[in-house]
Amino acid sequence: MAAPASKSVLFVCLGNICRSPIAEAVFRKMATDAGVADKWRIDSAATSTYEIGSSPDHRGQACMKKHDVPMSHVARQWVIDSGATSDWNIGSSPDDRGLACLRNHGIETSHRARQVTKADFTSFEYILCMDENNLSDLNRKANSVKNYTAKIELLGSYDPQKQLIIKDPYYGGAEDFEKVYDQCVRCCKVFLEKNS
Ligand SMILES: N#Cc1ccccc1-c1cc(NCCCN2CCCCC2)c2ccccc2n1
């Protein structure tokens, strides 16, 4: 019987279909390869409602396949927990560019977007986000939660190359997702080392 996860991290971005699912998948692979995945509760969500119910962007899934990083396949009730920071795409189907990208790389995923909830601010030790808009949205939401405990930080604050902001690739192309991937790899490596 595995010990309950002692550490927890929630990765957050605007729509929870591009950056935060990539960060979640990259960190999960690193923790697995390091043999410590059972110590971690790892999840992703969004500050908005734009993409609730959407699968990860096809370009991100393609990028993950290219780098041999599995996206979450486990269809758990509460896994429908990746969200967005806006209400722009509520109920919309996943971005077909993201799905096409995934399909190109043979990656399927059951990951679905969800918006961050008040409970996240007391149930996660770390909430790591991508840009200053996410940070201000999260801090505003956290301030409505009594005695919240989560450490809300920019994932980029762990980057040895000091690129603090992980930019939204939504209107970009494959190369922008590659940049998100590279930044997530650098940051997640340092974050895991600091928490091992
Ligand atoms: N907003 C912005 C923005 C600004 C700069 C760069 C990217 C984006 C951007 C735009 C998105 N959806 C299109 C607009 C949504 N509608 C906006 C008006 C309300 C109704 C909804 C995204 C969806 C998922 C993940 C990331 C996204 N990021």
Side-chain angles (χ1 to χ4, degrees):
M1 177 79 168
S6 55
K7 307 284 288 179
S8 55
V9 57
L10 179 71
F11 295 99
V12 172
C13 67
L14 177 67
N16 189 216
I17 59 166
C18 297
R19 294 168 288 176
S20 53
I22 287 174
E24 177 189 346
V26 164
F27 185 73
R28 179 172 285 113
K29 184 172 191 300
M30 281 183 182
T32 303
D33 293 351
V36 297
D38 59 346
K39 291 182 174 46
W40 283 91
R41 180 176 166 227
I42 307 164
D43 200 358
S44 69
T47 57
S48 79
T49 55
Y50 293 9
E51 295 285 348
I52 288 178
S54 299
S55 298
D57 187 287
H58 67 90
R59 298 161 294 178
Q61 297 204 43
C63 180
M64 291 296 99
K65 175 72 180 176
K66 182 180 156 198
H67 294 285
D68 198 22
V69 177
M71 281 275 206
S72 68
H73 289 270
V74 179
R76 295 187 296 273
Q77 183 61 36
W78 58 270
V79 152
I80 302 182
D81 67 347
S82 47
T85 57
S86 69
D87 56 2
W88 298 344
N89 297 51
I90 292 180
S92 60
S93 51
D95 184 299
D96 57 9
R97 296 164 298 171
L99 289 176
C101 188
L102 278 180
R103 230 172 282 120
N104 291 344
H105 295 277
I107 291 191
E108 291 304 323
T109 177
S110 60
H111 187 76
R112 291 295 178 272
R114 81 162 168 93
Q115 188 176 31
V116 68
T117 63
K118 289 192 172 186
D120 292 326
F121 292 93
T122 48
S123 74
F124 283 91
E125 183 184 0
Y126 287 95
I127 297 180
L128 302 180
C129 64
M130 308 296 157
D131 61 33
E132 56 280 87
N133 292 332
N134 305 155
L135 196 58
S136 55
D137 286 346
L138 286 168
N139 283 320
R140 186 172 60 248
K141 284 175 188 264
N143 287 332
S144 69
V145 179
K146 264 183 76 180
N147 308 323
Y148 76 89
T149 50
K151 285 168 256 185
I152 304 169
E153 303 171 345
L154 284 169
L155 175 59
S157 65
Y158 292 90
D159 187 356
Q161 291 184 22
K162 305 295 178 202
Q163 289 190 12
L164 200 53
I165 302 300
I166 300 177
K167 287 190 186 129
D168 188 341
Y170 185 79
Y171 290 119
E175 65 285 355
D176 300 293
F177 281 79
E178 280 299 316
K179 181 165 176 52
V180 168
Y181 170 78
D182 289 340
Q183 288 180 275
C184 287
V185 167
R186 294 200 305 267
C187 298
C188 288
K189 182 173 182 295
V190 171
F191 175 66
L192 182 59
E193 285 162 0
K194 287 193 168 179
N195 284 280
S196 292

